[in-house]
Amino acid sequence: MYGSMLGLLPGCPEGLPGTPVEEAGRAEELGLSLVLGWHEERLSLWRPDGRETPLSVSFSDGKQGYRLTPERVRHERLIKALGKPRQETLTVLDATAGLGRDAALIAMAGFSVLLAERSPILHAMLADGLQRAPGELAETMQLLPCADADTHTLPPLHAVYLDPMFPSRDKSAAVKKDLQWLQQLAAYPDQQEETALLEWALGLDPQRVVVKRPGKAEPLAKRRPHHQIVGKAIRFDVYE
């Protein structure tokens, strides 16, 4: 499926292959630009010839851990776009879960979150990350089987969240690594796919559909939202 772009190391995910350093030479010989394997007991992606820290899913440390503090969560624009739940527990479908960062944020705000991810690599990384997630998150986040989101039978939803990714113009290494590696696993949708994705989400009849977009980009499928929550670099388009 991924041709020469990605290498699955022997024994992954059941066994433990060598460290990134040990496997780098072998991966370069095979012409692989990305390698999936185990690093510090986490299912991770890395460049065999790169110096970047291997990429894994973690909900309890680093930048994501900072975003998940209670004080931070209530100020996040995504939560404002979704509408913070007050009493009952509402369900949100993250239909493009990726590395699960936004899904964890949604869960910390008090929602029950269903995660859908069709890339088998990202799905496996999510499953690994959820096994290590703090109890309060693990109890409110459910990873659906690896498949397109429209194949699942779903309960009534408060919202559907879509982050179809977009080409990055940011040259900083911190942003470029995550986004470029993800784009190798899940390409950005074309115009027809954009339209189908948004129509499918609206067809689920949630109270709202929230779409993450670059600040200056056109709305997804060029469909005008009901309203927007705007930040410096990104915005959230809300369809009701």
Side-chain angles (χ1 to χ4, degrees), residues 51-70:
R51 298 182 179 180
E52 305 95 339
T53 301
L55 179 65
S56 63
V57 172
S58 177
F59 300 115
S60 58
D61 55 19
K63 181 180 178 180
Q64 180 69 4
Y66 172 71
R67 292 183 72 208
L68 294 182
T69 61

Side-chain angles (χ1 to χ4, degrees), residues 1 36 45-46 52 88 90 96 110-111 136 175 179 189 203 214:
M1 181 176 180
L36 177 70
L45 280 174
W46 67 84
E52 305 95 339
E88 61 180 322
L90 304 175
T96 51
F111 294 98
E136 59 194 278
V175 173
L179 190 55

Side-chain angles (χ1 to χ4, degrees), residues 2 4 8 12 15 21 37 58 68 70 75 85 114 126 136 160 175 187 205:
Y2 301 105
S4 62
L8 302 181
C12 178
V21 173
S58 177
L68 294 182
H75 296 296
L114 300 175
L126 280 170
E136 59 194 278
V160 178
V175 173
D205 198 29

Side-chain angles (χ1 to χ4, degrees), residues 26-40:
R26 185 157 60 92
E28 286 188 82
E29 290 178 1
L30 296 174
L32 305 176
S33 63
L34 282 180
V35 173
L36 177 70
W38 293 96
H39 173 67
E40 296 181 350

Side-chain angles (χ1 to χ4, degrees), residues 32 45-46 79 133 172 177 190 203-205 222 230 233 239:
L32 305 176
L45 280 174
W46 67 84
I79 303 308
S172 68
K177 179 188 73 172
D190 59 26
L204 293 174
D205 198 29
K222 299 183 178 180
V230 180
Y239 299 82

Side-chain angles (χ1 to χ4, degrees), residues 178-238:
D178 287 15
L179 190 55
Q180 287 191 346
W181 293 4
L182 293 183
Q183 286 174 337
Q184 289 184 251
L185 302 178
Y188 182 79
D190 59 26
Q191 185 69 43
Q192 184 176 358
E193 291 170 332
E194 280 190 0
T195 301
L197 181 63
L198 183 56
E199 291 297 333
W200 166 78
L202 292 168
L204 293 174
D205 198 29
Q207 294 184 30
R208 60 185 61 185
V209 173
V210 176
V211 183
K212 185 177 183 178
R213 298 294 288 161
K216 297 182 180 180
E218 291 184 339
L220 191 68
K222 299 183 178 180
R223 180 163 178 167
R224 181 179 297 180
H226 179 269
H227 66 276
Q228 299 173 323
I229 305 295
V230 180
K232 293 182 179 180
I234 64 170
R235 70 173 194 269
F236 296 97
D237 292 349
V238 182

Side-chain angles (χ1 to χ4, degrees), residues 114-168:
L114 300 175
L115 292 81
E117 177 52 58
R118 67 179 181 177
S119 163
I121 304 303
L122 295 177
H123 190 276
M125 292 172 67
L126 280 170
D128 173 63
L130 285 170
Q131 289 182 353
R132 293 178 279 100
E136 59 194 278
L137 284 179
E139 293 173 1
T140 55
M141 298 173 67
Q142 178 185 350
L143 180 61
L144 299 174
C146 185
D148 287 325
D150 59 5
T151 64
H152 298 297
T153 300
L154 301 167
L157 299 169
H158 167 71
V160 178
Y161 176 57
L162 302 175
D163 177 9
M165 296 196 304
F166 43 87
S168 175

